[in-house]
Amino acid sequence: MQDFFQDIHSQLFDPERIPVAMAAWLLAGIIGMITGPMHGNANPFVWVVYDKTFGKIGGRLDNKDRQMSDLFFRGFILTMMGAVVAYGIGVFAQNLVLEKPFHGATEIVLLAMTLTGGTVWFALLKLYFAMKEKKVGKGAYYALAHSMRTDLSGSDDFGITRAGMSLAARSFDKGLVAPVLWYLLAGLPGAFIYAGLAVFAWRFGKDGFTKGFGKTALALEKLMGYVPNLVSGMIMALAGLFTPTGGMTRALIGQMFGRDKAKYEEGGLPVTAMAYSLNVSLGGASTDLDGSAIKREWTGPKNATAQLSEGHLRRAIYISLMAHLLFMVSLVGSLLWAGKLF
């Protein structure tokens, strides 16, 4: 029976890729903590490149004065082009690994381009120390605003903190769990295709409030990201068990039965788990960098506070770190289950 389940496990993904995924996470974390966000963007490197290319093109095409059908068609064409390019990059990356492996370093570096972690912690720690010293200025939340695509110029410290906490949860899902799972399933092409769709959903989806341009990207990203979102939510809830004043049970109950849960487009289960685990209220209406109204629902337990301070941000960073570590532990467990650890 154990052999049967091990066969299923090996068919779902290649266990040989697990050490590469762990090394890529470590590389992305270390480099990110050293360099900080690139161009003020704490998201994966691939996202930054797409934002500087397809993002500029799409920004011109996504004209809010046009009809919804026109915007949908434009967004569909650009998203399909982006997906094809992402697939091409993934195939090229896979071939490069075969031709120039450099003892596995090539694959690790290429996969790390689809991940994030260190840059997010860098940005949030910078904000935390600025809030602690009462020196929150534009420089403190610049990376947060660009990474969340949210205009924070008119927000108070409470709103900025909520945005930072949401980024910690969402980046864990979209910048680690999802690309790694698709890498394990389909290699570098899978990771790059997911990253390409995720950046389109982030850039044009407007958390589900797009007029039409980002609908294709949102739908395709949700198709690939739904299961990873479930996994991220479970791990984020478990991380609450190891976080001071956090709670795993209420996070799990909140994800299953809570009335105020984040929609998938607004972060889904990881954001819900963080809010319920830390007993806070996340979300709320905002304005994105293009001037569009983003009317997010409130997420969290009933009567939980939305007036969040640097202490709440510190706990969010901590629970994010624990979630990352638990995900790595789960990969080690998968390696052990596959009989590849020893």
Side-chain angles (χ1 to χ4, degrees):
M1 181 63 70
Q2 183 177 355
D3 292 339
F4 172 74
F5 283 111
Q6 284 181 338
D7 289 341
I8 293 178
H9 183 268
S10 61
Q11 290 296 322
L12 287 175
F13 62 83
D14 184 358
E16 301 291 344
R17 293 175 179 149
I18 294 177
V20 176
M22 297 177 67
W25 167 77
L26 186 62
L27 178 64
I30 293 174
I31 292 180
M33 284 295 293
I34 294 173
T35 64
M38 181 178 293
H39 299 289
N41 193 334
N43 290 307
F45 176 79
V46 170
W47 289 34
V48 177
V49 174
Y50 260 62
D51 186 35
K52 295 296 182 180
T53 52
F54 286 99
K56 290 186 176 181
I57 298 172
R60 298 189 185 97
L61 295 175
D62 189 11
N63 188 332
K64 292 182 291 185
D65 296 329
R66 289 188 171 274
Q67 295 295 321
M68 182 180 294
S69 58
D70 186 21
L71 290 175
F72 176 82
F73 179 74
R74 289 177 172 208
F76 173 80
I77 296 298
L78 190 65
T79 301
M80 290 298 100
M81 289 175 58
V84 170
V85 170
Y87 173 73
I89 294 173
V91 171
F92 172 79
Q94 194 67 59
N95 292 333
L96 185 62
V97 168
L98 295 175
E99 294 177 6
K100 308 282 186 182
F102 290 110
H103 305 287
T106 303
E107 191 166 11
I108 292 170
V109 171
L110 290 170
L111 179 60
M113 293 180 180
T114 69
L115 309 181
T116 191
T119 51
V120 174
W121 301 327
F122 183 101
L124 295 183
L125 283 171
K126 182 178 180 179
L127 176 62
Y128 166 72
F129 288 116
M131 294 180 68
K132 187 176 181 180
E133 297 170 5
K134 309 300 181 184
K135 296 180 180 179
V136 178
K138 183 177 180 180
Y141 61 77
Y142 177 79
L144 174 60
H146 279 259
S147 302
M148 284 289 289
R149 288 202 55 77
T150 300
D151 184 359
L152 298 175
S153 59
S155 299
D156 55 18
D157 287 358
F158 303 141
I160 294 172
T161 304
R162 291 195 300 270
M165 295 176 70
S166 296
L167 175 63
R170 296 175 74 157
S171 65
F172 172 65
D173 177 32
K174 310 300 182 188
L176 177 63
V177 177
V180 164
L181 290 183
W182 277 105
Y183 166 73
L184 297 178
L185 286 168
L188 287 174
F192 275 92
I193 290 172
Y194 175 77
L197 293 175
V199 67
F200 268 79
W202 163 80
R203 180 63 177 80
F204 304 114
K206 300 180 184 293
D207 285 4
F209 294 95
T210 174
K211 188 178 177 180
F213 192 85
K215 285 187 177 294
T216 301
L218 285 172
L220 293 177
E221 190 280 328
K222 186 174 183 178
L223 182 65
M224 293 188 71
Y226 187 79
V227 172
N229 193 261
L230 293 174
V231 174
S232 300
M234 292 177 59
I235 295 176
M236 186 64 71
L238 181 59
L241 185 65
F242 303 95
T243 302
T245 71
M248 179 186 72
T249 303
R250 62 173 177 256
L252 292 173
I253 294 175
Q255 290 180 88
M256 292 186 289
F257 307 110
R259 294 183 59 186
D260 298 321
K261 296 186 289 187
K263 297 178 181 178
Y264 179 87
E265 294 78 7
E266 298 174 20
L269 294 179
V271 172
T272 301
M274 178 176 284
Y276 277 87
S277 178
L278 301 182
N279 195 29
V280 298
S281 188
L282 300 177
S286 64
T287 303
D288 75 357
L289 296 181
D290 297 323
S292 300
I294 309 297
K295 302 177 182 178
R296 300 185 190 92
E297 300 291 337
W298 290 103
T299 300
K302 185 178 180 181
N303 299 324
T305 182
Q307 297 182 349
L308 309 182
S309 63
E310 69 273 10
H312 295 98
L313 184 60
R314 183 183 67 248
R315 290 159 62 202
I317 297 171
Y318 192 93
I319 197 173
S320 171
L321 285 167
M322 292 308 305
H324 278 74
L325 292 175
L326 287 172
F327 183 60
M328 290 301 113
V329 170
S330 71
L331 292 183
V332 173
S334 296
L335 203 58
L336 181 63
W337 181 264
K340 301 291 185 179
L341 190 59
F342 300 107

